[in-house]
Amino acid sequence: MTTKDKVWDEIDSTPDRVLSLTQEMVRIPSVNPKFEKKQGLNNETQVAALVADRLKSGGFETESWEVFPDRPNVVGTIPGNEDKSLILCGHIDTVPVGNQANWVVDPFGGEIKDGKLFGRGTVDMKAGLAACIAAVESIKAAGITLDGRLSIHAVVDEEAGGFGAMDAVAKGHLARNAIIAEPTWDKVIPAEGGLEWVRVTITGRSGHAGMRYNDIFPQPGVEGRLTPAINAIEIAARFLAALKEFEASRCRNNYHPLCPPGLSTINPGVIHGGVGLDEDGLPLIRTNPAMTPDRVVLDLDLKFLPHEAAADVRAEFEAFVQAFDALDPWTKEHPTKVMWELGGLHFPPMDTPVDHPLVQSLVTHHTALGKAPEIRGFDAVTDAAHYSGAGVTSCIYGPSGDGFHGDNEYVDVASLHKSTKVIAAAILDICGPR
């Protein structure tokens, strides 16, 4: 028997290993407190403790620290050759349940029926993290020692921007390669576009709305004429129209072979208009339409393609803003302000070559268990961005399911079993047996 066959036989003979661990994690509610804070729901510490205990019993050296109060990362490491090093990553926070009346099962019950394991956080992504842990446990149970360094990262806050993974990277927890076990639905995903949250602040001049006629219609140039107000909301309307054309030009002229056409979008997500600015950079007065607004704040979700550099994308956007400002004497003298990394959020792109050994390992072993997987880019963003941005060759691969960020979330049990085997085989390929 090959080394892989021994491990796969071990996984086949102990299917409860990954299932029971997934159930244990799902039965501990770990809703991200940035979305919903409630007694009994925000238990990332307990999930982290469960993972840490499991890793310690598997021979990992473990380290844990709080990224935010009561929200710890866990990193487990088996020392080895750095040239063959590999990170397996999964996040332990989840989105809220939503309307529990729409669920047909207990969201935190970990119930299995009809080949599906139900619960909030099953497919997104406690099952993927469990698959990583079970894969390593199965390698050890098969009597195999790895040559390369292997680390498992259980991180917090992915659902709110990936600050757990960002902190792990900042603390130097890196490797040559990484698998992020997000759900991929029988796909291998080596590419992911970048994401910026950018704030645009437009300046006008406040005044009394009753004097609007003085602002917008020709008036005689007489002594004592009031200084016209300039409505920032109307400037913003022109800006949004220009932004839509700029977005369309980016989508028309930009393409990545693994991504759907038009992925490089700029979504106007939040808009505030009013008078003045408070300490948070938002209009101070937002409830009085009798005042001509002198500030509009636009928060944008700007996506870019895997092969684009963030610095180039920022420069291109800033050039667009400058060109817009140059069209009007007022904005030319009072330029639009651009602030990057709103809320500290920034996702670098990931563009791992399709022929990289990590990608080909996942493709080969997935194919051996059935149909060849599609190789494609990811539409959204994951923690893979933060590892890739730090120079770690990364790829996304994990089980299938449905209901993520919705009702009746589940992971497909057969897919979870398959993913565990594929991840285990990839560990053997990258780290190598000693």
Side-chain angles (χ1 to χ4, degrees):
M1 295 179 69
T2 66
T3 303
K4 182 191 78 173
D5 290 337
K6 291 179 182 178
V7 174
W8 280 12
D9 279 357
E10 172 64 26
I11 294 171
D12 285 336
S13 66
T14 56
D16 190 54
R17 179 179 280 135
V18 68
L19 281 177
S20 62
L21 179 55
T22 304
Q23 286 177 306
E24 284 185 78
M25 287 196 284
V26 169
R27 288 168 179 163
I28 304 173
S30 55
V31 173
N32 191 311
K34 291 181 180 179
F35 303 128
E36 182 180 11
K37 194 166 186 177
K38 188 176 179 181
Q39 184 69 31
L41 284 184
N42 315 117
N43 301 308
E44 288 164 302
T45 297
Q46 293 180 35
V47 179
L50 170 63
V51 170
D53 287 345
R54 191 77 172 232
L55 294 180
K56 288 176 186 175
S57 65
F60 283 83
E61 300 172 0
T62 63
E63 177 182 351
S64 182
W65 72 93
E66 289 189 344
V67 179
F68 304 105
D70 298 320
R71 306 188 64 196
N73 278 351
V74 176
V75 170
T77 301
I78 297 175
N81 187 336
E82 286 301 314
D83 289 336
K84 300 179 180 180
S85 55
L86 175 66
I87 293 168
L88 307 174
C89 178
H91 65 84
I92 61 176
D93 64 313
T94 75
V95 297
V97 168
N99 187 351
Q100 190 164 340
N102 293 336
W103 286 68
V104 298
V105 295
D106 178 356
F108 302 110
E111 181 179 344
I112 298 175
K113 64 177 182 179
D114 301 325
K116 302 171 182 177
L117 196 168
F118 285 88
R120 175 55 84 224
T122 46
V123 75
D124 186 18
M125 62 169 290
K126 292 178 177 179
L129 178 58
C132 293
I133 296 170
V136 181
E137 290 177 342
S138 299
I139 290 171
K140 182 180 179 182
I144 298 163
T145 301
L146 298 172
D147 184 34
R149 175 172 65 83
L150 179 66
S151 298
I152 290 182
H153 293 190
V155 298
V156 297
D157 209 50
E158 190 273 349
E159 297 291 1
F163 291 98
M166 290 170 67
D167 202 48
V169 167
K171 285 181 168 55
H173 293 285
L174 304 172
R176 292 296 177 89
N177 307 278
I179 297 172
I180 286 72
E182 290 275 11
T184 56
W185 298 275
D186 291 319
K187 299 177 181 68
V188 173
I189 299 179
E192 173 182 287
L195 176 67
E196 300 278 6
W197 275 9
V198 54
R199 171 165 287 178
V200 172
T201 302
I202 294 170
T203 299
R205 186 161 56 203
S206 62
H208 195 298
M211 304 299 178
R212 181 169 168 79
Y213 67 89
N214 183 58
D215 307 337
I216 65 174
F217 293 114
Q219 299 294 318
V222 296
E223 184 178 352
R225 180 192 171 192
L226 297 177
T227 301
I230 297 174
N231 193 307
I233 288 178
E234 292 176 330
I235 299 174
R238 298 200 306 270
F239 181 87
L240 287 171
L243 181 70
K244 189 172 183 179
E245 292 301 316
F246 174 67
E247 174 191 47
S249 70
R250 277 187 51 78
C251 293
R252 282 194 302 268
N253 301 314
N254 215 357
Y255 180 69
H256 188 280
L258 298 183
C259 296
L263 185 64
S264 51
T265 57
I266 308 172
N267 183 57
V270 181
I271 183 169
H272 299 274
V275 176
L277 288 177
D278 64 16
E279 60 184 12
D280 295 322
L282 298 177
L284 185 63
I285 301 171
R286 286 177 273 176
T287 57
N288 190 346
M291 300 178 74
T292 301
D294 66 358
R295 293 291 191 280
V296 165
V297 178
L298 290 165
D299 292 343
L300 310 174
D301 179 285
L302 188 158
K303 293 182 180 178
F304 56 101
L305 296 180
H307 65 278
E308 294 186 283
D312 294 339
V313 171
R314 291 186 182 193
E316 181 187 36
F317 181 80
E318 289 177 1
F320 154 73
V321 173
Q322 290 170 7
F324 171 82
D325 287 344
L327 295 175
D328 183 274
W330 173 262
T331 50
K332 190 174 181 178
E333 292 296 322
H334 303 81
T336 301
K337 295 181 180 178
V338 176
M339 184 185 79
W340 297 99
E341 297 190 31
L342 176 64
L345 188 141
H346 163 68
F347 284 84
M350 175 182 70
D351 197 18
T352 302
V354 170
D355 61 357
H356 189 279
L358 175 62
V359 179
Q360 287 303 308
S361 173
L362 294 168
V363 170
T364 297
H365 298 303
H366 186 98
T367 302
L369 295 171
K371 185 179 177 182
E374 179 185 359
I375 304 175
R376 62 157 296 169
F378 199 59
D379 296 348
V381 288
T382 70
D383 279 336
H386 306 305
Y387 294 96
S388 178
V392 179
T393 298
S394 304
C395 194
I396 307 169
Y397 178 82
S400 306
D402 204 353
F404 60 104
H405 290 215
D407 302 327
N408 302 306
E409 181 180 353
Y410 71 85
V411 64
D412 180 85
V413 171
S415 173
L416 176 55
H417 187 72
K418 179 194 290 186
S419 297
T420 305
K421 296 175 77 170
V422 173
I423 291 171
I427 294 169
L428 295 173
D429 285 346
I430 300 303
C431 296
R434 185 175 300 171

